[in-house]
Amino acid sequence: MKAILYGIGLQFKLDIRSKTLLVTCYLVPLLFFMIMSGIFTSLMPDATQTLIQSMTIMGVSMGALIGVPPSMVEIYSTNIKKMYSANNVPLYFGIFTIVISAFIHLMIMSFIIFIAAPIIFHASAPENIPLYFFTLSLFIIVSLSISCVLGLAIKNQAKLTMYSQVVFLPSIMLSGIMFPSSFLPDLLETIGKIFPATWGYTLLCQLDINFFTFIPLLIIFSISFILILLLLKKAQSES
């Protein structure tokens, strides 16, 4: 347990010093929140009803899909992986510490939006706050599981950036946070349902627990988890 806590603490400190994590988990999401919230609430006064949810979806998606995968590559595509094997450290340890650290950072960023939006932009706070944060936790975990798949599957940083953008941009544009997904053509609306951001936004906006709305995120997480296990097994055989 001490080793796990030490690893998480160390990774958390490394992430704080990481320019990539700083930009993608804090700087850009919060800057986007400050600028776009003003625009949204000026053009669409009703946007205050879902402002917290939409800005949080954007911030979590950026931090998880763009910020986390490079940290995965730094471990599993370098000599650090060999050090794990040489010291009999399970390969999943790196994933575990990165995910926990990133989860904390994304929660902090989300909490800043949760507190600041009602004060600055008079946004409406979620009515069911415990359900909101439970759903947010699930959405962050699912988004991080996808980032783990990207980081393990793609070992080239340049290609990783491209593939991360391929996942991130449709997640934002087709999720309904910029404009109602009903405005999209049927094909694009259907494609948008592949990404967790669409379901995360739906869940964050719901007032009561509906188990069936959780199923898509659970399916995405299950598929990602299986892929992570397969990719770790492949990495183990290559070490």
Side-chain angles (χ1 to χ4, degrees):
M1 180 59 71
K2 288 184 178 180
I4 293 175
L5 293 176
Y6 175 78
I8 294 172
L10 178 60
Q11 186 63 49
F12 185 81
K13 293 177 181 178
L14 291 174
D15 288 342
I16 291 177
R17 297 177 181 179
S18 170
K19 293 182 180 179
T20 300
L21 265 294
L22 177 64
V23 169
T24 57
C25 285
Y26 292 103
L27 185 59
V28 173
L30 293 177
L31 184 61
F32 182 89
F33 159 67
M34 293 299 296
I35 295 175
M36 295 305 297
S37 293
I39 295 174
F40 283 175
T41 53
S42 296
L43 297 177
M44 302 174 291
D46 290 342
T48 56
Q49 301 297 318
T50 57
L51 186 65
I52 294 175
Q53 293 88 336
S54 59
M55 293 298 104
T56 300
I57 290 293
M58 189 278 172
V60 170
S61 297
M62 169 164 280
L65 300 176
I66 298 181
V68 173
S71 297
M72 302 287 296
V73 172
E74 289 177 2
I75 292 178
Y76 293 97
S77 297
T78 64
N79 291 328
I80 296 179
K81 184 181 73 172
K82 296 180 180 179
M83 292 173 59
Y84 276 27
S85 299
N87 292 279
N88 295 319
V89 177
L91 284 182
Y92 66 78
F93 185 78
I95 290 180
F96 184 77
T97 56
I98 289 174
V99 167
I100 296 298
S101 175
F103 180 89
I104 296 172
H105 284 295
L106 293 174
M107 266 296 184
I108 292 172
M109 180 271 298
S110 300
F111 190 73
I112 292 173
I113 293 175
F114 180 82
I115 296 297
I119 296 174
I120 301 174
F121 301 105
H122 306 290
S124 300
E127 294 185 15
N128 192 334
I129 294 178
L131 176 62
Y132 174 82
F133 279 101
F134 172 78
T135 303
L136 175 60
S137 298
L138 176 62
F139 172 63
I140 292 176
I141 291 171
V142 174
S143 299
L144 288 173
S145 69
I146 295 177
S147 70
C148 290
V149 173
L150 290 171
L152 289 171
I154 305 167
K155 299 179 180 180
N156 182 282
Q157 286 283 8
K159 291 183 179 179
L160 179 62
T161 301
M162 180 183 68
Y163 282 106
S164 295
Q165 292 286 354
V166 166
V167 178
F168 168 72
L169 290 177
S171 295
I172 299 305
M173 299 305 297
L174 306 180
S175 63
I177 69 170
M178 305 293 289
F179 46 80
S181 56
S182 57
F183 289 1
L184 296 168
D186 292 341
L187 177 60
L188 292 180
E189 186 176 0
T190 301
I191 293 174
K193 294 178 180 179
I194 299 174
F195 302 98
T198 300
W199 300 106
Y201 181 60
T202 300
L203 286 170
L204 290 180
C205 292
Q206 72 179 7
L207 301 178
D208 300 307
I209 295 178
N210 183 348
F211 175 76
F212 292 102
T213 56
F214 287 89
I215 292 178
L217 281 184
L218 294 176
I219 291 174
I220 295 172
F221 175 77
S222 299
I223 294 172
S224 299
F225 186 73
I226 293 172
L227 291 174
I228 290 170
L229 292 179
L230 293 174
L231 289 167
L232 279 177
K233 186 176 180 180
K234 180 181 178 182
Q236 182 71 52
S237 64
E238 293 174 349
S239 59

